[in-house]
Amino acid sequence: EVQLVESGGGLVQPGGSLRLSCAASGFPFRENPMTWVRQAPGKGLEWVSLISTAGTTTEYADSVKGRFTISRDNAKNTLYLQLNSLKTEDSAIYYCAKGWYTEYSVRNIPTNYRGQGTQVTVSS
């Protein structure tokens, strides 16, 4: 059974930083690309970033490019998302997902391939 547990969210002021983690279990983490998505109140899922199995390929949504960094530690079965220069519009629940998903396929993420999320609130 796929299990994904996100952590690291919280309340931060604009311009601040957070580091999100996603602990994975129940599947061969190192053999699977991973994706971060987010959902703001009243909006649909928004694709944020993806990373290949070895971490050599990463992609970002234009809205976060240059501010967010995705990484992974296959020895620890953990996915990360470093959030810098946060803006109020970054406020959302952030989810990690098993698999390679882009902005065009984000709606195809099976519910059981996604964690329960961690809340990020950017406010002064």
Side-chain angles (χ1 to χ4, degrees), residues 4 10 19 21 23 27 37 59 81 86 101 111 117-119:
L4 298 165
R19 189 193 196 199
S21 298
F27 67 98
V37 299
E59 295 184 10
L81 187 67
L86 281 161
Y101 296 96
T111 306
T118 185
Q119 177 73 51

Side-chain angles (χ1 to χ4, degrees), residues 22 24 27-34 72-74 77-79:
C22 168
F27 67 98
F29 180 74
R30 66 177 64 248
E31 297 177 11
N32 285 268
M34 297 292 293
R72 64 191 296 159
D73 186 334
N74 286 340
N77 286 357
T78 303
L79 177 71

Side-chain angles (χ1 to χ4, degrees), residues 5 12 28 34 51 55 57 65 74 87 96-97 99 103 114 120:
V5 180
V12 63
M34 297 292 293
I51 188 167
T57 299
K65 197 172 295 182
N74 286 340
K87 306 176 181 180
C96 62
E103 60 182 306
R114 200 179 76 191
V120 171

Side-chain angles (χ1 to χ4, degrees), residues 12-81:
V12 63
Q13 293 186 340
S17 298
L18 286 172
R19 189 193 196 199
L20 308 184
S21 298
C22 168
S25 62
F27 67 98
F29 180 74
R30 66 177 64 248
E31 297 177 11
N32 285 268
M34 297 292 293
T35 301
W36 283 100
V37 299
R38 66 186 181 184
Q39 187 166 26
K43 297 188 176 181
L45 277 179
E46 178 188 9
W47 175 73
V48 175
S49 183
L50 61 81
I51 188 167
S52 61
T53 54
T56 51
T57 299
T58 59
E59 295 184 10
Y60 299 91
D62 287 344
S63 59
V64 307
K65 197 172 295 182
R67 299 188 298 120
F68 291 8
T69 303
I70 190 171
S71 62
R72 64 191 296 159
D73 186 334
N74 286 340
K76 295 182 178 180
N77 286 357
T78 303
L79 177 71
Y80 302 101
L81 187 67

